[in-house]
Amino acid sequence: MIVFKHLWLLCLLPLPLLLYFLLPAFRQKTLAVRIPFFSLAAEASGAKVAAGSQVYRKGVLDVLLAALVWGALVAALAKPVALGEPVTEQIITRDIMLAIDLSGSMEERDFPDQSGELIGRLDAVKGVVSQYIAERQNDRIGLIVFGSRAYLQAPFTRDLASAEQLLNDTSVSMAGPHTAIGDAIGLAIKHFESSQVTDKILILLTDGADTGSRMSPSNAAHVASQEGLKVFTIGIGDENGEGQYRVDFDTLRKIAATTGGAFYSAEDSDALTNVYQEIDKVAAVESDLPVTRQETSLVHWPLALALLVLLVAMLRLWASAHKVRALA
């Protein structure tokens, strides 16, 4: 398939005809021999006397050669290219909202890292989630942080570096000391309203139980289900703890089941990494992405045609000049 990158330049093709019909003929004064008996000589010879001008008309072949050169040059300026066959590939593209718990209990240093050393829960989460964000090349990422209230830390974006930086800027209790799981889900629902994708995913991580949401987690999960939002829940911490230090696995399971997502628990950094990888596989949605067709420039062909026609015209001129000299 051949296309022109600058198709509008083909409008220049009729320009010589417009100039020929619209512009006046070129006139040039030349020296002439004046004789007093010109009219008598013309009358005697029967020649037709007209104004002192002469129009030199070109042959049909000359006009055709000039038209070919002009057409070839215009075609070259329009940059013709040959397009290869379109190629499609399967990619994963989604809008993913991450909801991270910043309640006071996330400061507990009881979460083993990959070397077995105990680190703060939030520090472990940041390390794993930062890597997860960096690998989302075809997805849009959003970030919600929640404690006593839920806040949008980063709207949906493909600027993964900025989203990762905003995650690293978070700190324990910056959203309040308590845990508002229902409000975090409600905020995610609100911001998914502007999303154009059909597969909406919320990954919610918490180490506690809901202690102060204006919307209960159960109601928020039902609304999310109606809006087509799948919620994948991750629980870290002690299920047998007390107060804000007890993670409510049962509620997290119900949220995931209601919305068509899945529930996971993680006891260390390796397990948390595996959880995010597993969610990525389960929530994968493949779609066709058209790849740019291969372009092959064809500019050299019209230029070569123009050069060939010019060579033919020059040979004709040379042959005519040589014939005149031979007759002389």
Side-chain angles (χ1 to χ4, degrees), residues 30-34:
T30 59
L31 296 175
V33 178
R34 182 182 294 276

Side-chain angles (χ1 to χ4, degrees), residues 32-51:
V33 178
R34 182 182 294 276
I35 56 176
F37 50 87
F38 176 74
S39 58
L40 295 176
E43 183 180 354
S45 63
K48 184 178 180 180
V49 180

Side-chain angles (χ1 to χ4, degrees), residues 217-218 221 233 248-260 263:
S218 177
T233 55
D248 189 353
F249 283 174
D250 289 337
T251 296
L252 296 180
R253 288 190 182 94
K254 291 177 182 178
I255 292 172
T258 301
T259 60
F263 164 75

Side-chain angles (χ1 to χ4, degrees), residues 79-316:
K79 292 187 176 180
V81 294
L83 296 181
E85 292 297 323
V87 180
T88 58
E89 63 178 351
Q90 294 286 325
I91 66 165
I92 298 174
T93 174
R94 299 156 295 188
D95 281 353
I96 301 176
M97 182 67 77
L98 304 175
I100 306 297
D101 185 355
L102 298 182
S103 61
S105 57
M106 289 292 288
E107 195 172 14
E108 287 293 305
R109 299 181 63 85
D110 60 354
F111 207 80
D113 63 8
Q114 293 180 346
S115 63
E117 182 181 354
L118 296 180
I119 60 175
R121 295 175 182 178
L122 182 58
D123 292 332
V125 169
K126 283 183 179 180
V128 173
V129 176
S130 292
Q131 181 63 31
Y132 180 80
I133 291 175
E135 295 172 352
R136 308 276 70 76
Q137 297 301 320
N138 297 310
D139 299 328
R140 291 200 311 167
I141 290 293
L143 178 62
I144 290 174
V145 295
F146 63 97
S148 300
R149 293 288 183 268
Y151 301 95
L152 182 69
Q153 182 78 347
F156 286 119
T157 179
R158 283 194 170 88
D159 186 354
L160 303 181
S162 295
E164 186 176 349
Q165 182 61 49
L166 288 170
L167 170 66
N168 291 326
D169 289 341
T170 60
S171 60
V172 174
S173 296
M174 68 178 288
H178 302 295
T179 307
I181 296 175
D183 289 350
I185 298 174
L187 184 59
I189 294 171
K190 177 181 178 181
H191 284 280
F192 266 111
E193 291 176 353
S194 61
S195 176
Q196 301 299 316
V197 300
T198 56
D199 296 281
K200 305 172 183 179
I201 300 167
L202 169 64
I203 304 177
L204 184 145
L205 181 144
T206 182
D207 71 339
D210 190 90
T211 56
S213 289
R214 288 170 291 182
M215 175 186 289
S216 70
S218 177
N219 289 340
H222 282 290
V223 175
S225 178
Q226 293 172 0
E227 296 294 327
L229 173 60
K230 291 182 179 180
V231 182
F232 293 83
T233 55
I234 304 174
I236 62 174
D238 186 4
E239 186 178 12
N240 299 316
E242 297 180 357
Q244 66 172 337
Y245 295 99
R246 175 184 175 274
V247 58
D248 189 353
F249 283 174
D250 289 337
T251 296
L252 296 180
R253 288 190 182 94
K254 291 177 182 178
I255 292 172
T258 301
T259 60
F263 164 75
Y264 301 89
S265 63
E267 298 177 352
D268 53 39
S269 294
D270 288 336
L272 187 57
T273 299
N274 293 334
V275 164
Y276 276 96
Q277 291 175 350
E278 184 64 26
I279 292 175
D280 203 39
K281 295 176 182 178
V282 173
V285 178
E286 292 188 345
S287 59
D288 289 334
L289 176 69
V291 178
T292 304
R293 292 180 172 185
Q294 182 179 359
E295 295 183 358
T296 303
S297 176
L298 301 178
V299 172
H300 57 286
W301 289 110
L303 289 178
L305 176 62
L307 180 61
L308 179 62
V309 173
L310 285 174
L311 288 175
V312 171
M314 292 177 64
L315 287 174
R316 290 187 71 252

